[in-house]
Amino acid sequence: MTPTETVYTNAEIFTADGTHGAEAFVVRGDRLAYVGDRGTAQRLASGDATAVDLGGRFVMPGFTDAHSHLVMMGESLRKVDLIDAGDLAEIQRRMRAAAEQAPHAARVLGRSWLPDAVPGGNPTRQMLDEVVADRPVYLDANDLHSVWVNTAALEELGITRDTPDPHGGLIARDESGEPSGMLYETAVTAIVWPKLVELSSDTERDAALAATFEHYLASGVTGAIEMACGEAELATLQRAVADDGSLPIRVTAHWLIHRSDTPEQELRQVQRAAELATSVCTPWLRVAGIKLILDGVIDTCTAAMKEPYANGENADPIWGREALFPVVAAADAADLQIAMHAIGDEASAIALDALEHAFRENGPRVRRHRMEHLETITVESIQRMASLGIVASMQPVHSDPAVQENWRAKLGDHRVDRGFPWPELSAAGAALAFGTDAPTAPYAPLPNMFIAATRRSALNPSLPANLPKYAMPIADALRHATADAAWSAGCERDLGRLSTGMLADFVVLDGNPLTAEADDLLTMGVHLTVVGGQTRYAVEPRD
Ligand SMILES: [Zn+2]
């Protein structure tokens, strides 16, 4: 059987490989058979190739979201969005309305509330009980590192005054010692998430993942890196694999390693990841390595900093050196790609120490480890990352000025002047991969590119820019979100650039990000999304 062939002409092509001037390309089967001038493209195509005139539109490699949570993203699309609920009354109004609209729903779920919206930054279960008392309410904080619950949810979770805080987590309590309604860090990942997974069905997870794929494709995303994969997420992804072995977009997964009671239990999780890396390994779905969450976030003072926060407190890392070194060394020895969440400057230093230790233990080998977020990384750690060849995985959306006020207040000193310093990492020579960390932030790539290029707010563009010295040329931002994001997952031979021989994963936009006004990125439409040569999204139905 001869593969299908399509000739696309009349395009402005951003190849992301440093070449310019391409205007046409040929897709044969799932790959690009040619990218360049129109005459050659037409000559190379066979007589029965389909011809598509793109009307002068802009074509670029499909976006790879270098850090995301696919099932959670789909679930969050169905939760009440609270990001623009400015005060407690508005949060209560929306939750009461949601409960009334779905009287038979087992629980009421919300997301993306900001600490500034709650008096004194101190949410309580009673504030939610006032509006919904008959069933559990779970409200994910915007950064997903804490959950605000009502009394019925605490009961569902089995959390009482006698429940100890889990390793690396906190169950907030009132003066009398009763749980007050806020759960932080591993109290979320080790108590809330497993409980909600247990209570939700495969059907619900399948629907959530399908919604994620649909939203990604409609916004130009053709690949994503799942950064907290567990058994439930993997099973959901495997159920989504079609008869031909494909998924709607390409997924690389990192297996989340949980802090456990003994080092042996932690090493067993690494072993499980190593087995999966061998058994789950296709062009559409593969397990590449592990994920370790070393610390929390600045907004709740749970990120591990070298110096205390403005309130004089500091946070211990979730993984200190003693626990982390053997896990990182074992994963490195097993050829697993290691990704470490490290937001605080102390956490990123610990991550680098653990990697250096593993490199000494295991000797030279081909590696591509990565560190996630790096919101407050020091100049010294940036140099270490570059010299060790560690990928910096960062999310412009997290620096949106609309979510910066509390972030800045918590640090409260000169450290805020070096927040989210992406260009310092690429200038030092570290690979820089952009993503969104959806659903902790909006998933759409073009607004993410707007923030990268302007440091302004995609949520409220009238706000002043956040450290505009760190804005970058839009072409650089696009490369970090395509070619470098594919590189971060080890897919650079097939994905992330538009050149002959690469997989045909591309997106056609209704505007040209390189020449448009930056603000146009916030409204620019996606015309067509093609993955592996197949049209997966088109503005108008195509036959
Ligand atoms: Zn994440």
Side-chain angles (χ1 to χ4, degrees), residues 67 69 227 291 373 437 440:
H67 182 133
H69 305 278
M227 262 301 160
K291 166 81 177 298
H373 312 311
D437 198 11
T440 71

Side-chain angles (χ1 to χ4, degrees), residues 258-280:
H258 295 276
R259 279 309 314 267
S260 305
D261 294 331
T262 66
E264 292 71 33
Q265 287 172 344
E266 286 157 355
L267 290 172
R268 265 204 297 281
Q269 298 175 60
V270 175
Q271 182 59 37
R272 172 78 176 131
E275 289 158 16
L276 290 168
T278 315
S279 60
V280 184

